[in-house]
Structures are given as C-alpha cells and as structure tokens.
Amino acid sequence: MSRALRRTSATALLAAGLASVVLTTTVPANAAETPVAPSIATQADQGTITSFTPTVPNPTTATRAQLDAAASAGRKKASPFLAAPQSLAADSSVAGPISRAEVIARARTWVDAGVPYSMTSYRSDANGRYRTDCSGFVSMAWHLSSSSANNYGETTGTLLEFTSSISKESLKPGDVLLNPDPGASGHVVIFNGWANAEHTRYDAYEQAGSVGAVHREIPYPYWSGHGTFSPRRYDNIIDDAPPAVSGAARTVGADFNGDGKADIAGIDANNNLKLYTGDGAGHVSGGSNMLGDNGLWKNFKSLAAGDFNGDGKQDIAGIDAYNNMKLYTGDGAGHVGGGSNMLGDNGLWANFKSITAGDFNADGKQDIAGIDANNNLKLYTGDGAGHLGGGSDMLGNNGLWVNFKGITAGDFNADGKQDIAGIDANNNLKLYTGDGAGHLGGGSDMLGNNGLWKGFRSLLSADFNGDGKRDIAGIDAYNNMKMYEGDNAGHVSGGINMLGNNGLWAGF
C-alpha cells in the first residue's frame, strides 16, 4: 500500500496551542491495552461513545492482511481513505496535512473529556468518529480516515503505512512511539516533548487500557515489559510556524525570595514585573507581582539582577523609558521597591541593546555590562551602594557585538571569574571568559554551531536545578521558557520546559 500524501504547506496554529502539563496520575507498568465492556455514554463535551462489532478479533493491533480479508468477506474494502462520517471543526482535512499544534490539540480533547478505553467502541465528536483504543486515538489526533470498514481507525500495524522511522533526538510533538506487534503488546503513544534534560522521560498523550485518555510522563521509550517501541513520524505532519517575535524579552534569574532556589522575574505584556519562583529542579511557577499591578515597567528596555547595594538581597536594575539606569531594591521576599538612578539622570543608556550584571572585576561588588550603540561591550563598575561608574571596554572597541540578541553573566567554566554568554548573529550561544579584571576573551560555542538559538529573544542564567553549576534559560521562538544545563566547563545541554509548553511567555 502506498504511503499517505506527503506534507505540503503549513496550516494555521490552533488557538489551543501545544500543551505540556504533566498529570500526576501514577500508572504501573502493567497499564497495557485491555478492552472494557462496550457501552454508550455521553461525555462532557457532548461527544458520544457507541459500541460496535469489529470485523476482526483485535481491531487495535490487526494487520492489513487481516483487515482486507475481513473486508472481503463482508463485501467492504478496508481503505484508509474513506470519507469522514461527519464534518470536522479543524484546520486540517481528512488524511491531509496537519500541524503539530493541531495534533496535540485534538489529542487533548479526549483527555479533557475523560474518554474511557475500549477496542469495541467508537467516539463521535467534533473530531470525527474514532475507535477508543490507542491506535484509534492516534488516528483521531492525526485526522486519518475512519469508517466501519476499518473499524473506525487504523491499527498499530497499519500505522506503519502512514509513518517513517526517525531517530530519538528527532522527536517532536505530534510524533509517536510505536510498538506494531500484532499481539497483545501492540501499542502507540503520542510524544509531546522531553520531560528532562537527559531525554530519558517524555511528556505524552495516550489511550491506555487501565486509565483511558491520559496526559502523563513516560520513561523512554515506554514502561518495561511491553515490547519494543520506536520513534516514528506521520508522513503528513507539518512543523508549526513560529509565532511572530515582538522583540527582546526582559527577564532575569536570581533568588528573589531568599529560599535558596533560583527564580525568574520578567516584565509581562501588561508592563508589570512578575515573579516565577523556582523549585530547585529546573522548573518555575507562580507569577506574582513584584511591584504592584500598575504598568510601571512600560518601555523599560532591559533588566539585570544582582545585589547592587550589598544588603544580601537580590535587586533589579533596568533601563527606563528615559534611558536612565534605575535601581529597584529587593526585600528578600519577592518584592522590589524604590527606583533610584544608578548613574545620573542624563539618558546615558540610550541605544544600549542588552545588559547583564556580575562582579566582573572581582572586588566583591556587582557591576553592569552592556552592549552600547556602537556594538561594544562596556563595563560599569558598582560601588556596593547602588551606584555605577566608568564605562570601559571589556573586549576591544571594534563593534564585535553587532547583532547579538542577548547576553547573560555567570561563572560558566568554574574558575571563580565572571564570564558572559550571548547569542550571536548566527544564532549560536557563545562564551566569552572573564579574567577577573573587567575584560573578556574567547568566543567558544556552548552548544554546537548549528543556529539552535534562532528565535530566542531572552537569555538569563542561574543555577536553576541546584547542582552547583550555572545554567542558561531563555524564551524560545514558541514563547516557552527553556532551560539548558551547565557543566561547569563552558557548555550547556538539554532544553527542557521550565513552565509548560503553552507559549506563556508571549508578550514578555
């Protein structure tokens, strides 16, 4: 049989977007496919579940030969391109190109409705009419054809006809982990992103025998004892176009509430400074106001975090609408106050593109470095009392920093001196090592030379996972906050979501 039509052009993203909240359901290793008694039920979204008599003994894992034989005996041809039983409210057409966002959005509808598992029932809803087992679930999510002739969805065996083998590291949301075994162990799961930096666990959607439609975290490739799973990609899936990028985001990382864990602060779409507290394991949550809900931070251009006044609490400095560097002192409980000038009221910081803070000259006081209008990196030394002075070059006067999209400071190579990392014009993350005297050198790659950081519009650093090594986080092209773990040798790896996969950081 020929493959499904190859993917062509991109379709619009569904408003639902990608979801990545991992449910806390605990499922044992024996959560394999097990049929439940046929039934008719009405779900919360008005979908209905109807029992039917399959044309084969096991419609979940049947082979194409078994389906064709049953169809011939019943005078029905088991075609994967039969017309849909009802119209769909979707961007895609039946068996046509479908975006990754739509795949996940369709899968989520069954999870939200709590659809139970059955090999001998189908669900009718806005997605169409699909069998309520694992392969029917994937057929629904991919918007494949469905009718009584194919028992309302493909099987774990016939899904091979619509997919291609891919590598583990190529997995993207909407791809699957498939075990096409024709026996009881046949199963398929929808991949929705990695759950840890080691890529040993992933976020998934599946229709499982013991729990029905579920969104949960799964060990890669699946729980032991269920056969061999491999990553595969639907031939008609298309990558989502990145959302429009509005400009550099204003975010910083530090321990703002004094609990010993690194947090993230940022200016949101309403121009308020929000605090997202860290859990010490690479995730953040919350979103409380650090200085009221009054839009005070409108037109602030860049932020830096550090203990600028030497009181042991993390403060925030930023370039305001008048191009002055303002200091807002922290209280150690997640709030800031004040708003004093750090270097006069003269608009000195006009056209600075990015700033970051660190003790670059090793005098025990927090300084600020920034890329100026001439694309040079300037150092302004702190006095430990909330003021700055100077303005010396950290790496020559040659405009090296043109088109850098963000910078962040930290001791990335564990030599006790503050370095600077930044996304360069080629969208690579570069490391410039500090000498402890206010100068930098180098320019090595921290995560390959592959343009991975394209579309990132924020860069910040801290020890987000509590392992004693400086990590880097940033808002990616899909408006998710990603964390890359540091190794204390000038490199980072991973790329896990710190607060879901839902585009929350749009507008920051």
Side-chain angles (χ1 to χ4, degrees):
M1 173 164 285
S2 63
R3 292 186 182 278
L5 297 175
R6 295 280 174 180
R7 48 190 173 274
T8 54
S9 58
T11 54
L13 289 173
L14 285 187
L18 294 176
S20 67
V21 180
V22 180
L23 296 188
T24 57
T25 307
T26 300
V27 181
N30 61 2
E33 307 285 353
T34 9
V36 296
S39 62
I40 298 178
T42 301
Q43 302 300 324
D45 66 351
Q46 305 306 309
T48 58
I49 293 179
T50 307
S51 62
F52 72 99
T53 301
T55 62
V56 292
N58 189 331
T60 303
T61 63
T63 64
R64 176 61 66 193
Q66 290 172 329
L67 290 170
D68 287 344
S72 177
R75 299 177 184 250
K76 291 181 181 179
K77 185 178 180 181
S79 168
F81 298 107
L82 295 170
Q86 62 185 78
S87 62
L88 298 244
D91 284 357
S92 62
S93 59
V94 175
I98 186 169
S99 71
R100 296 182 182 280
E102 186 179 343
V103 170
I104 298 302
R106 288 169 70 90
R108 188 178 184 181
T109 61
W110 277 26
V111 173
D112 291 345
V115 177
Y117 179 91
S118 173
M119 294 192 302
T120 57
S121 295
Y122 61 79
R123 175 177 168 84
S124 303
D125 59 20
N127 297 310
R129 183 175 294 166
Y130 291 94
R131 192 175 62 252
T132 57
D133 59 13
C134 67
S135 47
F137 177 65
V138 171
S139 299
M140 178 275 297
W142 284 352
H143 205 168
L144 300 179
S145 294
S146 163
S147 75
S148 59
N150 69 351
N151 296 299
Y152 305 102
E154 296 302 325
T155 75
T156 54
T158 62
L159 284 174
L160 289 170
E161 301 167 9
F162 299 84
T163 60
S164 300
S165 176
I166 59 173
S167 68
K168 173 183 177 180
E169 295 306 319
S170 296
L171 279 164
K172 297 180 181 180
D175 295 333
V176 297
L177 279 303
L178 174 64
N179 175 5
D181 185 86
S185 64
H187 191 50
V188 63
V189 181
I190 297 175
F191 180 87
N192 189 43
W194 295 109
N196 64 3
E198 295 77 21
H199 292 186
T200 59
R201 301 187 67 83
Y202 62 98
D203 182 56
Y205 286 87
E206 69 173 324
Q207 187 79 355
S210 60
V211 292
V214 63
H215 180 198
R216 62 187 177 186
E217 188 177 302
I218 294 176
Y220 183 87
Y222 199 68
W223 282 283
S224 62
H226 293 294
T228 302
F229 286 75
S230 61
R232 300 190 68 86
R233 177 165 295 160
Y234 176 38
D235 290 329
N236 238 2
I237 201 165
I238 51 179
D239 288 335
D240 305 310
V245 175
S246 59
R250 302 155 295 177
T251 54
V252 288
D255 178 14
F256 295 106
N257 62 358
D259 65 353
K261 302 170 185 175
D263 314 310
I264 291 177
I267 301 172
D268 71 2
N270 297 313
N271 297 303
N272 296 312
L273 187 67
K274 295 289 189 178
L275 172 65
Y276 293 84
T277 55
D279 65 355
H283 307 101
V284 294
S285 62
S288 59
N289 290 309
M290 297 185 74
L291 187 58
D293 188 22
N294 49 16
L296 171 73
W297 301 85
K298 185 176 182 180
N299 295 324
F300 268 71
K301 299 169 182 65
S302 190
L303 299 180
D307 179 14
F308 298 108
N309 61 358
D311 66 353
K313 301 168 184 175
Q314 292 292 302
D315 313 310
I316 287 181
I319 303 172
D320 72 3
Y322 301 99
N323 298 306
N324 296 312
M325 185 69 74
K326 296 288 190 179
L327 172 63
Y328 293 84
T329 56
D331 65 356
H335 309 100
V336 295
S340 59
N341 290 309
M342 297 186 75
L343 188 57
D345 190 19
N346 49 16
L348 171 74
W349 302 86
N351 299 318
F352 268 70
K353 300 172 178 65
S354 184
I355 62 171
T356 188
D359 181 12
F360 298 107
N361 60 359
D363 65 353
K365 301 168 185 175
Q366 288 287 296
D367 314 310
I368 286 181
I371 302 172
D372 71 4
N374 297 313
N375 298 304
N376 295 312
L377 189 67
K378 296 289 189 178
L379 172 64
Y380 293 85
T381 56
D383 65 356
H387 307 103
L388 302 170
S392 59
D393 291 309
M394 297 187 74
L395 189 57
N397 189 28
N398 49 14
L400 171 74
W401 302 85
V402 64
N403 295 324
F404 267 69
K405 300 167 182 66
I407 58 174
T408 187
D411 181 11
F412 298 107
N413 61 359
D415 66 353
K417 301 168 185 175
Q418 291 289 297
D419 313 309
I420 286 182
I423 302 172
D424 72 4
N426 297 314
N427 299 304
N428 295 312
L429 186 67
K430 295 290 188 178
L431 172 64
Y432 294 85
T433 55
D435 65 357
H439 308 103
L440 301 171
S444 59
D445 292 309
M446 298 186 74
L447 187 57
N449 190 28
N450 50 13
L452 172 73
W453 301 83
K454 184 177 181 179
F456 272 72
R457 54 190 188 83
S458 170
L459 203 63
L460 54 148
S461 65
D463 179 14
F464 294 109
N465 61 359
D467 65 354
K469 302 170 185 176
R470 194 83 174 182
D471 312 310
I472 286 181
I475 300 174
D476 71 4
Y478 299 96
N479 294 309
N480 296 311
M481 185 67 76
K482 295 284 191 178
M483 185 192 77
Y484 295 81
E485 293 183 350
D487 66 355
N488 266 359
H491 308 101
V492 294
S493 63
I496 66 170
N497 290 309
M498 298 186 74
L499 185 58
N501 192 27
N502 50 16
L504 171 75
W505 302 86
F508 272 74

